[in-house]
Amino acid sequence: MWTDRAALLSILVLSSSVMACGQRAGSQSADRAGSEGPSDTAAAAACQALEKRQPNAPDQRPAFAGQTRVCGVKSNVAFDVAVVAKGLEHPWAVEPLPGGDLLVTEKPGRMRIVSSAGKVGQPLSGLPVVAAAGQGGLLDVALSPTFDADRTIFWSYSEPRRGGNATSVARGVLSADRASLGQVKVIFRAMPTYDGDNHFGSRLAFGPDSMLYITLGERSDAPMRPQAQQLDSHMGKIIRISPDGAVPKDNPFAGQANALPEIWSRGHRNVQAVAFDSQGQLWGIEHGTKGGDELNRVEKGKNYGWPVQAYGEEYSGSPIAGAATVREGMEQPVYYWDPVIAPSGAQFYTGDAFPAWKGNLFVGGMKDHKLVRLILNGDRVTGEEHLLEDRGQRVRDVRQGPEGALYIVTDEQKGELWKITPRR
Ligand SMILES: [Ca+2]
Ligand SMILES: [Ca+2]
């Protein structure tokens, strides 16, 4: 039955899609958008890009219309932000548990359960030691797709090793009293080991194929960068393994000489956000250099360019040596930000609490303190909104919980856990 509220929301959804079309990539996207609303020309006239600052690389041009600076949109959704917990030390990930409690990681190496009422539990025991320095530490956490039956969780971390460190992924079983992790086993070790403290990635996501996807960085330093292109290194890759750590036979480079079989895609800089959409398509969002953060539609075996194809410039203001914005045989980002958002954490919204947000991609933004909402139409971004900027905290992770609430943790010395629900 159509209530006034439902009718209003449907109007808001419609107005979002109408506003989000100024820089559509020609008629192909417009066709996919369907026939509702006024013509592209009329809508384009009404469109204003959200980003109005000077780009860091003003001479670069997007490869297609709508690849950057799409229309700003407003969902006009009224919501409440409840501060569920405070005083978390650089929380890196939040993962809703069945029943409404939340798993939270803190970068120095602690994992805790925060109750739905906001009670912060003691750190779980049983976790391996992490190399907590710079961008390293305890990073993402994900639940087993069959968590109800096996109580298994997966987490990524920078692992201290002889000669340095690198990202590893472990799994363990949550004890019945929820105080510890048992049967802990490291199921993936990114190689090579390197003595540094930047660009570990990493996010974890299970695909509809029940495989575990792991995002990594390339360790940032100049000597390591080229490894993002090399198939004999895990650096700058997205990885696909089975939940027990085995390599799936249908991985793109399995069986190829001098290639690491866990690799799913390559040419990434530092992927700190990943999500599957409702069609089962994987999307990754990665940190670029100054002016080069990007959203990619991640596909099997493809090359996403870094460090030879990139937008933006070095932090020094120099051009990225050896890079062009377009290269044959490499994938263009679906979208890029110049200036950057410093992305971390992503969630496709599928809940019923916010009908106007259904299908939208939420991405945490640490720079300028915002939650980014993207409207996607096929493989194009057609609208962008920035939320929560008034709260002044670095948004580190965003996840959808039971009943369609969004949960956020903020990357601060005294970080917070927020719950976003429709305004009552
Ligand atoms: Ca996670
Ligand atoms: Ca790229």
Side-chain angles (χ1 to χ4, degrees):
M1 185 178 138
W2 276 69
T3 61
D4 286 351
R5 180 178 159 78
L8 174 64
L9 286 166
S10 76
I11 288 163
L12 290 172
V13 171
L14 183 60
S15 65
S16 290
S17 66
V18 167
M19 289 173 71
C21 48
Q23 298 186 33
R24 252 184 211 150
S27 57
Q28 199 186 358
S29 289
D31 290 342
R32 277 201 299 272
S35 56
E36 80 281 13
S39 71
D40 269 8
T41 316
C47 165
Q48 293 240 11
L50 191 60
E51 183 59 75
K52 294 183 175 62
R53 292 171 294 180
Q54 173 82 359
N56 291 289
D59 296 336
Q60 292 176 351
R61 292 285 168 267
F64 52 85
Q67 195 184 20
T68 190
R69 299 188 178 226
V70 294
C71 295
V73 294
K74 285 198 188 308
S75 54
N76 295 317
V77 165
F79 56 82
D80 289 320
V81 182
V83 179
V84 178
K86 291 181 171 183
L88 300 164
E89 188 178 352
H90 291 287
W92 217 91
V94 55
E95 196 66 35
L97 287 161
D101 294 344
L102 303 134
L103 267 177
V104 173
T105 64
E106 292 173 292
K107 195 156 67 87
R110 294 179 293 270
M111 192 183 306
R112 303 177 189 270
I113 294 174
V114 178
S115 78
S116 56
K119 184 175 188 305
V120 178
Q122 289 298 308
L124 303 179
S125 63
L127 268 81
V129 174
V130 303
Q135 297 171 1
L138 182 57
L139 304 172
D140 203 22
V141 59
L143 302 187
S144 159
T146 48
F147 177 82
D148 284 333
D150 58 33
R151 298 180 64 82
T152 298
I153 65 174
F154 296 75
W155 64 94
S156 63
Y157 61 108
S158 51
E159 181 185 46
R161 301 181 190 166
R162 183 192 295 268
N165 50 57
T167 306
S168 292
V169 175
R171 56 180 281 169
V173 177
L174 185 62
S175 63
D177 63 3
R178 305 201 311 176
S180 64
L181 292 163
Q183 301 170 53
V184 172
K185 185 183 167 207
V186 177
I187 58 166
F188 173 75
R189 287 194 161 92
M191 295 302 288
T193 296
Y194 176 72
D195 189 9
D197 59 12
N198 284 325
H199 294 197
F200 295 95
S202 73
R203 291 286 171 191
L204 307 174
F206 280 95
D209 55 3
S210 299
M211 293 296 158
L212 177 61
Y213 293 76
I214 304 163
T215 74
L216 299 171
E218 60 18 332
R219 307 308 307 274
S220 178
D221 299 347
M224 293 298 283
R225 277 185 178 186
Q227 293 196 16
Q229 287 293 318
Q230 292 171 211
L231 290 174
D232 60 356
S233 164
H234 289 129
M235 303 297 107
K237 307 300 187 307
I238 292 178
I239 299 300
R240 176 180 182 251
I241 56 174
S242 72
D244 63 1
V247 177
K249 286 193 175 63
D250 58 345
N251 269 7
F253 305 107
Q256 182 173 317
N258 304 316
L260 293 171
E262 300 90 354
I263 295 171
W264 184 251
S265 63
R266 64 170 143 167
H268 301 286
R269 185 169 176 273
N270 191 21
V271 191
Q272 291 198 340
V274 72
F276 283 90
D277 68 19
S278 58
Q279 281 82 51
Q281 172 63 50
L282 178 62
W283 299 76
I285 305 99
E286 65 188 67
H287 290 246
T289 52
K290 211 165 71 182
D293 286 358
E294 49 182 56
L295 167 68
N296 289 298
R297 195 170 180 274
V298 178
E299 295 185 286
K300 177 179 179 174
K302 292 198 172 170
N303 186 338
Y304 291 84
W306 182 255
V308 292
Q309 176 188 271
Y311 290 90
E313 62 181 13
E314 298 286 1
Y315 293 111
S316 65
S318 306
I320 301 165
T325 58
V326 178
R327 284 203 189 276
E328 188 71 28
M330 296 186 179
E331 302 306 307
Q332 280 291 312
V334 168
Y335 195 63
Y336 70 86
W337 289 269
D338 180 5
V340 297
I341 60 167
S344 187
Q347 172 76 55
F348 277 97
Y349 188 74
T350 61
D352 294 324
F354 296 107
W357 290 349
K358 230 169 207 181
N360 294 170
L361 176 60
F362 286 86
V363 181
M366 295 186 288
K367 190 164 184 297
D368 304 326
H369 310 125
K370 59 204 172 203
L371 178 66
V372 176
R373 182 176 72 98
L374 296 177
I375 299 168
L376 286 149
N377 180 10
D379 57 1
R380 293 288 183 265
V381 174
T382 57
E384 179 173 2
E385 182 175 27
H386 294 168
L387 301 164
L388 305 175
E389 286 171 294
D390 55 319
R391 304 183 76 86
Q393 297 199 30
R394 291 158 55 84
V395 175
R396 174 55 94 175
D397 195 14
V398 52
R399 295 290 287 151
Q400 183 181 317
E403 289 156 17
L406 283 178
Y407 289 90
I408 280 168
V409 285
T410 64
D411 176 42
E412 305 287 339
Q413 183 62 35
K414 292 185 174 176
E416 298 184 354
L417 167 59
W418 301 337
K419 179 181 185 182
I420 299 176
T421 53
R423 177 155 289 168
R424 284 176 295 178

